[in-house]
Amino acid sequence: MEEAKNSSRVKVHSILSVVSSNPIQPGKVHKLSLLDQSMGLHTLHIVFYYNSNPFNDGPMPSDIDNLRASLSHLLDKYPIATGRLTRGGPEGHWQVKCNDAGVRMLEASVSATLDEWLRSADVLEERGLTAWEDMPHDPSFWSPFRIQINNFKCGGLAIGLSCTHMHADITSATLLMKSWTQVHCNLPLTHSPIFHLPQPPTPSLKNSTPSFSPSKMGTATMKFSHSVIHKRLSLVQNHCPNATPFDVLVALLWSRIALWQEPEPDKNHNRSLSICVDSRNHGRPPIPYSYFGNALHFSVLSMDGDKLIRGGLGQVCEYVHQHIEGLKRDDFCLEVEGEGPFRVYGPRLTFINTEHMVDVENGEGVMYDAVFDKGEKPVHVSYHVGNVVGEGLIMVLPSSEGGLGRTVTVTLPEEQIANLCKDQAILDLEPIMLISGKK
């Protein structure tokens, strides 16, 4: 795991613990699944940006007491967030001892306006908005969930959420934040968390993760507009009439990155990548959308290297789409490659699909439903996975614009990030560059 240091523009003023409003039943233990265990080397860091402070008028500090109170009530429903990691069982697997130890909440100020920050901050600075400390050898007093309230000098606000990937995946962490806003506004929860499945699927673990040489990684975040994605989808209609924004962006980025990748194709001249899709609402029985934990499915997609680079966007898009549709027709079990914990993201180029988080009617992402007082929606939500190495990770996420707009966060070796940011095929899509820079 990595430890991100606060930039000089981010100053933490207070640190406190928030516990659930009702005592947790003594002796309660939550056993992490095999898939949860495999995520032990990774962390999640999410930042919700708001143009104006939804709790106060003007550029004043947040009403931390009200936030603390609503978070305390939320934690009644999330006992594993307030607990502490411990080893248990004959094999010594990680589990959560549910107690009233609480989560850490920090308050900080940022000596920049929100617009200045989004234009100039790099990924290391942004990690300063999400408090984190690496897990110590003895985690019995260590908080696996941390929340940081960041006040910009323009009156804007950013709420940073960090947690271990063993506890939650992107969907779970996002729904936790949305649930907090609903508790804060005295609204019923849209998705009350479920921690146990009636018939939990048994993951099939197979060690086929490629070897890699550590290299310096860089990150860039690009916003692609609804109109640009709509145009690209129309261009691939003949090959793939039901293509999604994820399909077309994977096809574009994969084919461009293949031009610069150091690893040679295999003996069959194939290039491969890993696709991560969410298993919720799939499988037998279906995994509920409100399941809190890791519900991910990783699969490997291989394609002839020449066809990938020279076959055209439509052909590659069709190949990606058919692969994902084929997964949906199969028994969609929770599956990972390897024995954990290990680096799930990055040894092989990995794309994360979040199309399941998009409302099919208006195209808005569930993360933009995180609305506190005054109806203020986030203007941007940033996602990062800690400890990504190797060939890299690309997350295709809903954009604040809604519709077909997508935000793409790319983590690649530094030289490839430089190539990507000046690649004409990418620039033709007129992306808006946001948080970027070295990891």
Side-chain angles (χ1 to χ4, degrees):
M1 295 179 184
E2 303 171 36
E3 181 175 357
K5 297 181 179 179
N6 279 349
S7 124
S8 59
R9 293 195 289 179
V10 181
K11 301 295 185 185
V12 174
H13 301 301
S14 64
I15 304 175
L16 51 85
S17 292
V18 181
V19 300
S20 54
S21 60
N22 293 313
I24 293 176
Q25 179 181 353
K28 187 174 182 178
V29 172
H30 174 76
K31 295 182 178 179
L32 297 177
S33 71
L34 290 179
L35 181 57
D36 295 336
Q37 305 274 342
S38 71
M39 299 292 180
L41 296 181
H42 296 293
T43 53
L44 289 181
H45 308 269
I46 310 176
V47 184
F48 294 78
Y49 290 96
Y50 296 86
N51 257 335
S52 61
N53 192 319
F55 315 110
N56 290 44
D57 294 321
M60 300 294 292
S62 306
D63 188 345
I64 199 73
D65 289 337
N66 284 341
L67 277 177
R68 184 180 181 181
S70 60
L71 179 59
S72 179
H73 287 295
L74 174 73
L75 294 177
D76 289 344
K77 302 181 181 297
Y78 287 86
I80 71 170
T82 66
R84 295 296 181 260
L85 284 167
T86 184
R87 297 281 190 178
E91 298 179 352
H93 287 164
W94 285 115
Q95 59 186 21
V96 180
K97 182 179 180 182
C98 300
N99 54 30
D100 292 315
V103 303
R104 296 286 183 266
M105 177 181 276
L106 297 83
E107 188 171 22
S109 61
V110 185
S111 58
T113 67
L114 180 56
D115 286 343
E116 289 171 347
W117 179 268
L118 292 176
R119 289 197 307 267
S120 63
D122 60 28
V123 69
L124 184 60
E125 280 191 300
E126 187 174 55
R127 286 286 290 272
L129 301 180
T130 60
W132 188 249
E133 294 177 1
D134 289 339
M135 184 170 66
H137 179 71
D138 179 7
S140 44
F141 297 101
W142 176 81
S143 176
F145 281 80
R146 294 163 189 265
I147 294 171
Q148 185 166 315
I149 312 299
N150 304 277
N151 297 280
F152 289 87
K153 67 179 185 180
C154 62
L157 191 78
I159 301 179
L161 169 67
S162 291
C163 64
T164 69
H165 209 319
M166 286 195 296
H167 282 71
D169 58 17
I170 285 176
T171 303
S172 296
T174 301
L175 293 181
L176 183 150
M177 183 67 179
K178 178 183 175 181
S179 296
W180 183 15
T181 67
Q182 291 178 321
V183 169
H184 189 82
C185 296
N186 295 314
L187 298 173
L189 297 192
T190 306
H191 302 286
S192 295
I194 298 172
F195 302 101
H196 301 282
L197 300 175
Q199 298 178 12
T202 301
S204 173
L205 305 178
K206 48 187 179 180
N207 191 2
S208 60
T209 303
S211 60
F212 63 92
S213 299
S215 59
K216 291 184 178 180
M217 307 295 284
T219 296
T221 298
M222 300 172 284
K223 292 183 72 172
F224 297 97
S225 69
H226 169 91
S227 60
V228 164
I229 298 300
H230 182 270
K231 182 178 180 179
R232 286 305 183 276
L233 288 172
S234 65
L235 293 176
V236 302
Q237 281 293 303
N238 290 338
H239 283 90
C240 191
N242 297 317
T244 67
F246 178 79
D247 299 331
V248 75
L249 286 168
V250 171
L252 175 65
L253 294 168
W254 187 20
S255 60
R256 304 311 295 171
I257 292 170
L259 294 172
W260 324 313
Q261 277 184 324
E262 288 295 331
E264 294 293 327
D266 63 22
K267 62 182 180 180
N268 295 319
H269 305 287
N270 287 336
R271 298 278 185 173
S272 64
L273 79 163
S274 176
I275 291 182
C276 172
V277 296
D278 194 89
S279 298
R280 291 171 178 85
N281 296 332
H282 295 283
R284 301 171 188 168
I287 298 170
Y289 192 69
S290 56
Y291 174 68
F292 192 87
N294 285 280
L296 305 173
H297 181 97
F298 293 85
S299 61
V300 177
L301 172 62
S302 297
M303 187 173 183
D304 178 83
D306 289 337
K307 290 182 179 179
L308 173 61
I309 296 172
R310 301 178 182 87
L313 184 65
Q315 185 176 7
V316 181
C317 184
E318 179 184 25
Y319 202 68
V320 173
H321 183 79
Q322 289 179 348
H323 176 80
I324 295 174
E325 288 301 305
L327 294 176
K328 294 178 181 178
R329 290 191 295 268
D330 295 336
D331 190 4
F332 216 18
C333 66
L334 301 182
E335 184 175 1
V336 294
E337 300 172 353
E339 297 179 358
F342 65 101
R343 286 183 175 86
V344 179
Y345 304 101
R348 176 185 284 114
L349 181 63
T350 303
F351 283 80
I352 296 181
N353 184 335
T354 64
E355 294 296 308
H356 69 287
M357 298 173 73
V358 180
D359 187 296
V360 294
E361 294 185 0
N362 58 27
E364 292 185 354
V366 66
M367 62 283 296
Y368 296 100
D369 290 337
V371 178
F372 286 95
D373 295 338
K374 303 179 184 178
E376 178 78 20
K377 288 189 174 184
V379 293
H380 176 59
V381 182
S382 178
Y383 290 79
H384 292 283
V385 175
N387 205 15
V388 173
V389 291
E391 294 185 14
L393 172 66
I394 299 177
M395 291 183 278
V396 181
L397 300 150
S399 170
S400 57
E401 177 188 4
L404 300 173
R406 293 293 182 269
T407 298
V408 179
T409 298
V410 183
T411 299
L412 298 170
E414 281 184 356
E415 65 277 6
Q416 292 185 24
I417 282 289
N419 290 334
L420 187 74
C421 291
K422 63 184 180 183
D423 185 273
Q424 192 57 49
I426 304 297
L427 296 178
D428 286 345
L429 273 67
E430 302 177 349
I432 297 174
M433 299 289 184
L434 296 177
I435 304 293
S436 62
K438 299 178 181 179
K439 274 188 76 178

